[in-house]
Amino acid sequence: MTEETPKLELRGVSRDFGETLALAPTDLTVRPGEFVSVVGPSGCGKSTMFNIVAGVLRPSLGSVLIDGRDVTGRAGYVGYMLQKDLLLPWRTVLDNIVLGALMKGGASRAQREEGVELATRYGLGDFINHYPSALSGGMRQRVALMRTLAMHRDVMLLDEPFGALDSQTRLAMQQWLLSVWKREKRTIVFVTHDIDEAIFLADRVVVMTPRPGRIHEIIDVPIERPRPVSSLTRPEFIGLKQRILETIYSNPSTGMKETDLHA
Ligand code: ADP
């Protein structure tokens, strides 16, 4: 029997910046349709890894594969979304959703129809002709995610997409994201330094530690889905959180203080 080809694979990927080893040689395999969170304190190499997978930064060594194909250093194979929504203020919500197509010369009628359908399906239907300035922070991030979906990449990298939102909006957005993920069946790699968020969303949590940045541990999250908010206080959840906190605090290289976790 042949094993399922991983959707995304990092093989011995590392990156240095002069004297600084930003990311030590790293292996990671992500299955099709999996939701993986990457958590760790500032400086542990999360952005470096993200940029390498997105193809906007070349690794010093190693390779990145998507569907078994080497895409190292090549952009355009994954969809990605950042904390800053990067919406164009002078474009409507719909134009912002189909921006990928607009930038390639224009959105076809089918692409605009798809944009409307996505917006309607995921709670933005009444806002397609609004400008981003009329939207709340949470809604802007929904638009940014719709734009990422409209890029039609199986792998989506989300870098702290809810980092600037207040905690209640954030929780609502996490639930919303899980409903989108369930329906769209994409593979998601979600970078955060919020441990609750990492566990709540993911099938597996990749715990990174700094100096040098590396994967310290990969932890399964055996909590059934769908996950109601009450999962956050279940004993299994608390146990996982404790384990991750201990990994980060007990690592002498982090020199972590409690406050650093939310820096
Ligand atoms: P994180 O995203 O987890 O905060 P980064 O990937 O940004 O971590 O950084 C990992 C390490 O690499 C840090 O020590 C950081 O200072 C260093 N680093 C990142 N980018 C650069 C760069 N362009 N030049 C020099 N050092 C860098």
Side-chain angles (χ1 to χ4, degrees):
M1 202 181 82
T2 54
E3 279 198 15
E4 183 184 44
T5 307
K7 181 50 77 176
L8 169 68
E9 203 180 345
L10 276 66
R11 285 192 191 157
V13 167
S14 68
R15 173 71 200 211
D16 53 58
F17 293 102
E19 300 278 282
T20 311
L21 183 55
L23 187 66
T26 294
D27 294 310
L28 179 66
T29 302
V30 182
R31 295 187 294 272
E34 197 178 13
F35 197 126
V36 171
S37 293
V38 179
V39 71
S42 298
C44 70
K46 299 188 293 297
S47 308
T48 301
M49 191 163 87
F50 184 100
N51 290 332
I52 289 172
V53 175
V56 296
L57 180 71
R58 278 202 84 87
S60 304
L61 289 171
S63 46
V64 177
L65 291 87
I66 291 182
D67 294 322
R69 184 167 164 210
D70 192 327
V71 297
T72 314
R74 289 153 70 186
Y77 286 87
V78 302
Y80 62 91
M81 171 181 167
L82 310 173
Q83 177 172 335
K84 203 164 177 320
D85 58 49
L86 304 177
L87 301 183
L88 298 181
W90 61 90
R91 293 279 198 179
T92 63
V93 163
L94 181 57
D95 280 355
N96 270 289
I97 292 175
V98 298
L99 193 69
L102 289 177
M103 287 174 67
K104 284 188 186 149
S108 66
R109 189 172 165 165
Q111 285 167 322
R112 297 187 81 82
E113 275 169 10
E114 188 208 28
V116 173
E117 200 182 301
L118 278 172
T120 308
R121 192 185 306 156
Y122 296 119
L124 291 162
D126 292 340
F127 298 92
I128 50 174
N129 296 316
H130 285 54
Y131 288 89
S133 59
L135 306 182
S136 67
M139 289 174 69
R140 293 170 64 101
Q141 289 305 76
R142 286 179 195 229
V143 177
L145 189 73
M146 292 304 99
R147 175 157 80 195
T148 312
L149 283 174
M151 288 162 69
H152 292 282
R153 299 289 177 269
D154 291 345
V155 179
M156 304 208 308
L157 302 182
L158 311 184
D159 190 1
E160 292 264 3
F162 310 144
L165 304 176
D166 66 82
S167 60
Q168 275 167 33
T169 305
R170 192 167 177 149
L171 203 50
M173 290 295 291
Q174 289 164 4
Q175 290 170 299
W176 175 81
L177 174 62
L178 287 180
S179 70
V180 175
W181 170 68
K182 184 163 179 248
R183 172 144 188 181
E184 302 292 332
K185 300 188 169 40
R186 307 286 175 99
T187 305
I188 296 186
V189 180
F190 188 102
V191 175
T192 181
H193 57 228
D194 181 322
I195 296 172
D196 282 339
E197 178 170 79
I199 302 170
F200 184 66
L201 294 172
D203 296 317
R204 288 187 299 153
V205 178
V206 173
V207 185
M208 295 185 70
T209 51
R211 285 182 283 274
R214 66 193 183 93
I215 294 179
H216 189 94
E217 201 177 1
I218 301 180
I219 297 177
D220 281 320
V221 182
I223 298 177
E224 75 272 15
R225 301 181 186 269
R227 296 179 183 161
V229 177
S230 58
S231 338
L232 286 160
T233 47
R234 294 227 324 237
E236 307 95 288
F237 194 101
I238 307 287
L240 290 170
K241 185 172 177 179
Q242 202 165 357
R243 189 165 147 203
I244 295 172
L245 283 167
E246 275 163 13
T247 300
I248 293 172
Y249 283 125
S250 66
N251 187 311
S253 68
T254 62
M256 289 283 293
K257 300 187 294 296
E258 186 112 18
T259 47
D260 293 341
L261 274 178
H262 299 286

